[in-house]
Amino acid sequence: METPEEHIERLRASTFSIGRERNPLAPMLDQAVKYLSAELYAKDVHFLMELIQNAEDNEYLEGVDPSLEFVLTSRDITNTGAPATLLVFNNEKGFSAENINSICAVGNSTKKGNRKRGYIGEKGIGFKSVFLISAQPYIFSNGYQIRFNENPCPHCELGYIVPEWVHENPSLSDIKQIYGSNCELPNTTLILPLKPDKVKAVKHQLSSIHPEVLLFLSKIKRLSAREHNEDPRLNTVSAIAITKETNFVTRKNIDAESYTLHLSAEEKSDEFAKECSYYLWKQKFPVRQENRIDRRMEVEDWVITLAFPNGERLLRGMKCSPGIYAFLPTEMFLPVHSSPFEKLNIVRESIKSKLAEEDIVPKYDDILEFLGVVPVSSDCTGMGNIPLIKYVDVYGSVSLSTINESAQRHDKTLCLSHAVEVTVLSVNDYAVLCGNQVSSDRKFVIAYAHFLYHSFLQSVSIRQGKLLLYVMKMPLVDSYGDVIKARKVVLVPATESKWVQLIGSNPWRERQLR
């Protein structure tokens, strides 16, 4: 039987042959990895989510609680001159020969054909995202001790996919000293000597991991990040250990499944662990034949999961955590920054134009800027251009006008229907006044929701208790564009979710009208 080292030598020999024959795959491979780097130019550490998803897709022995651990050290255990090294520990079954073959190529993922089991990989390119932060990533797993190099191999002029056996630097004893001498090493360890310009970004991302990342993962039960230095005073990463526990007592309703999940986050800077329970709603929707594509023909249904926190959310390291996931947080994929590659900017502009046509409430300043929504200046000129004046013409049509427009146009005369009293209102009083005046126009409802959200986000006198009161009384826009005023506390999906196409009718309608 072929040993792991013999297997690697055979792969190297076949790669050398490809390079010598100048197989068309060689330039295509370089372009593929360069395109990956270009696609993720705005997210230096997108690799972190890729590694989390890879760990979720891995196979685990029965009785093992799947865990993923990130440990950062300033020790140069690889002897590559790196200023810091990131080690990733995963207690999966470990790499097989087929797995090794997959990451030594492009377009050959072991997850292909397994979409029914929830895998999302297609081209074996997920692991290669680590080249964004490491020029020489190492893999120690199931007897394999290999590394890759982004620089072209002198024997075949190919980079990224040529495996090299590691005889020393690092040794298993070096790795154990960092992981814990008294602890048994997990089956798989990735060693990533960091590029000098990526150390700060990696530290920031490790300190910003939010507990909610585990909500929509079915396998990973524990995720931790910490820093290991001989002098603890040099540690700058905010250590965290996140665990989750599921209450398996489920309830079924309209073909859906609901259950409770508990998250706890323990940080060394805190005396106690923070805990929060989440109510999850999971429902399968069949994929219609007209919506299927060739690459995913085996997918028969999609699962949509919604999570609602019961109590204060476990926000950590960031103002707001991403709230929408498609296996990975969708926040990572909105191209808010322009690209040096013109072809990518064409795609960016098309996304921007489609979003601008939708009735949405952007949450983050960078998204508002991406959509061309700029802050209003505090001077009178800026306020004068906002359509604040609502009037009814002689035909009974309701319109909006700006102060400047009303003053400049002589064909339009505005008359007050009654005396106007000007007074100073607090943000809370203004919120109550607007809430009482919100009409059946869905645009006004969305604008009111936008006002409440940003007033609370900017801490402008609206506290959480008051905000909940306003939200409870606020009308909602259902999937069909109708404004619902009188209602129980029932959340309905917005138009953008395309639920109407999935389920055909509104199962909540009867409950809303009671």
Side-chain angles (χ1 to χ4, degrees), residues 186-313:
N187 287 340
T188 297
T189 303
L190 305 183
I191 304 101
L192 308 175
L194 300 180
K195 297 177 181 178
D197 60 332
K198 302 299 182 183
V199 175
K200 183 178 179 180
V202 170
K203 286 186 175 183
H204 173 72
Q205 285 296 310
L206 291 176
S207 296
S208 302
I209 296 176
H210 51 89
E212 287 88 353
V213 76
L214 292 187
L215 274 179
F216 304 102
L217 300 179
S218 61
K219 294 181 183 177
I220 301 297
K221 304 297 182 184
R222 185 176 186 274
L223 177 67
S224 66
R226 60 185 172 90
E227 191 169 2
H228 176 276
N229 287 301
E230 293 181 2
D231 185 354
R233 293 175 298 180
L234 298 177
N235 294 346
T236 56
V237 171
S238 178
I240 186 172
I242 309 166
T243 57
K244 76 172 184 179
E245 181 180 347
T246 304
N247 178 359
F248 288 103
V249 179
T250 61
R251 295 173 293 277
K252 289 189 176 294
N253 186 18
I254 61 171
D255 299 325
E257 186 179 86
S258 57
Y259 55 93
T260 303
L261 185 146
H262 303 275
L263 286 183
S264 63
E266 183 177 355
E267 298 188 64
K268 285 192 175 181
S269 57
D270 294 338
E271 186 176 353
F272 302 103
K274 298 178 181 178
E275 297 183 358
C276 182
S277 61
Y278 290 79
Y279 177 76
L280 275 79
W281 178 283
K282 181 182 293 185
Q283 187 166 353
K284 285 185 179 181
F285 295 94
V287 179
R288 295 184 177 182
Q289 188 62 38
E290 62 268 23
N291 294 333
R292 298 192 180 193
I293 59 176
D294 292 340
R295 288 186 302 168
R296 297 179 174 87
M297 287 302 293
E298 72 273 21
V299 178
E300 298 177 353
D301 50 50
W302 283 107
V303 177
I304 295 178
T305 305
L306 304 179
F308 305 93
N310 182 14
E312 185 179 355
R313 296 174 66 186

Side-chain angles (χ1 to χ4, degrees), residues 320-321 323-324 331 334 336 351-352 354-374 443 445-458 494 496:
C320 289
S321 62
I324 303 175
E331 181 211 31
L334 194 62
V336 295
I351 295 174
K352 177 180 177 180
K354 288 184 180 296
L355 285 176
E357 295 173 358
E358 300 292 339
D359 293 330
I360 61 174
V361 183
K363 294 177 62 176
Y364 304 107
D365 291 341
D366 56 347
I367 299 178
L368 288 169
E369 184 178 353
F370 169 62
L371 295 176
V373 181
V374 296
K443 291 186 178 179
V445 175
I446 293 175
Y448 181 59
H450 193 281
F451 160 73
L452 289 180
Y453 175 78
H454 282 280
S455 297
F456 176 72
L457 191 66
Q458 301 298 330
E496 286 70 32

Side-chain angles (χ1 to χ4, degrees), residues 14-32:
S14 64
T15 307
F16 294 167
S17 176
I18 290 175
R20 285 192 294 267
E21 294 174 4
R22 298 187 179 277
N23 189 298
L25 175 64
M28 288 174 60
L29 173 65
D30 281 339
Q31 288 298 319

Side-chain angles (χ1 to χ4, degrees), residues 133-191:
I133 54 106
S134 178
Q136 296 185 58
Y138 293 68
I139 298 176
F140 280 48
S141 180
N142 269 0
Y144 286 95
Q145 297 183 188
I146 61 175
R147 71 175 178 181
F148 298 91
N149 199 317
E150 69 176 2
N151 294 323
C153 173
H155 301 287
C156 61
E157 299 182 358
L158 285 177
Y160 303 106
I161 64 168
V162 183
E164 180 182 352
W165 191 264
V166 177
H167 295 281
E168 56 183 14
N169 298 325
S171 65
L172 288 175
S173 61
D174 293 331
I175 299 173
K176 287 204 69 170
Q177 286 182 12
I178 295 173
Y179 183 71
S181 302
N182 299 325
C183 303
E184 183 179 353
L185 281 176
N187 287 340
T188 297
T189 303
L190 305 183
I191 304 101

